[in-house]
Amino acid sequence: MNTLAPKKFESRAQLMESLRQDRNLAGADLSGLDLSGIKLAGLTMKGADLHDSNLSQAKLAAIDMGGVNLANARLDNARLAGANLRGTNLRGAHLKAVKMAGVDLKEADLTGADLSHSRLLGVDVTGADFSNVTTTKARGLVDWSEAKVQPAELPEMMRPPRWLLLLLLLVLGVVGLVVFLKMRRRGR
C-alpha cells in the first residue's frame, strides 16, 4: 500500500501556493504557522496539525476540521461558520472574542481554553469537554446539557438587540395597514 507522508508547510506563502493546486489539507502539518487574518472556505483539513499556530482574526467557513490538533492555537477574534470541528483538540486554545455559528464541536476537547468575550450561536457541544474553560463575558445560544463537561460558568444567553422589537412592530404595522387598505378597496 502506497501511503503519502503528510504535507509539511514551513510558511504561509507555501500554504497559499499549495491551495492554488489542491484544496485538500487532510493530515497536513501547519503547526506553529502565522495564519492570522487568513480567509479559508470549503477546505478539507481533517486530522491536520495546527498546534501553536496563529489563526487570530481568521475567517473559516464550511471547513472540515474534524480531528484537527489546535492545542494552544490562537484563534482570538476569529470567525467560524458552518465548520466541522468534531473531535478536535482545542486544549489550551486562545478563543477570545471568537464568533462561532453553526459549528460542530461534538466530542471536542476544549480543556483549559479561553472563550472569554466569545459569541456562540447554534454550536453543537454534544460530548465536548469544557473543563477549566474561561467564559468571562461570553454569550451564546447553545444547549450545554449534552456536553461531556460543561463550563463551570455558563456563557450568558444572547438576547436580541432592543431595536429588533421596534422593527418587528413597525413591519407588522405596515403589513396590517396594507391588508386594511386592500380590504377597504374591495368593499367599495
Side-chain angles (χ1 to χ4, degrees), residues 90-93 109-114 129-134:
L90 287 155
R91 292 177 73 90
D109 185 356
L110 288 96
T111 302
D114 184 355
D129 188 344
F130 290 89
S131 299
N132 302 315
V133 168
T134 304

Side-chain angles (χ1 to χ4, degrees), residues 4-142:
L4 296 173
K7 298 175 194 173
K8 169 68 176 153
F9 294 94
E10 302 294 334
S11 69
R12 180 186 186 121
Q14 185 185 22
L15 169 65
M16 298 312 287
E17 181 62 33
S18 175
L19 287 174
R20 288 188 185 107
Q21 308 293 320
D22 186 8
R23 307 285 294 166
N24 186 349
L25 295 173
D29 185 350
L30 300 145
S31 58
L33 288 184
D34 181 1
L35 302 172
S36 55
I38 198 164
K39 296 175 186 173
L40 299 173
L43 294 181
T44 299
M45 297 181 78
K46 253 187 171 150
D49 186 2
L50 286 117
H51 80 276
D52 296 324
S53 61
N54 182 359
L55 290 158
S56 296
Q57 299 181 7
K59 291 176 178 53
L60 309 173
I63 292 185
D64 186 355
M65 297 178 80
V68 168
N69 182 7
L70 283 162
N72 300 312
R74 300 200 75 79
L75 287 112
D76 300 322
N77 293 300
R79 308 292 183 260
L80 287 88
N84 171 21
L85 292 159
R86 185 180 291 218
T88 296
N89 177 4
L90 287 155
R91 292 177 73 90
H94 306 271
L95 298 156
K96 280 186 178 180
V98 72
K99 293 195 173 38
M100 290 187 192
V103 173
D104 183 354
L105 282 175
K106 287 180 187 165
E107 308 297 328
D109 185 356
L110 288 96
T111 302
D114 184 355
L115 283 164
S116 56
H117 300 276
S118 62
R119 302 292 180 260
L120 310 172
L121 180 63
V123 176
D124 188 346
V125 298
T126 304
D129 188 344
F130 290 89
S131 299
N132 302 315
V133 168
T134 304
T135 57
T136 307
K137 295 190 178 180
R139 292 186 180 182
L141 284 174
V142 176

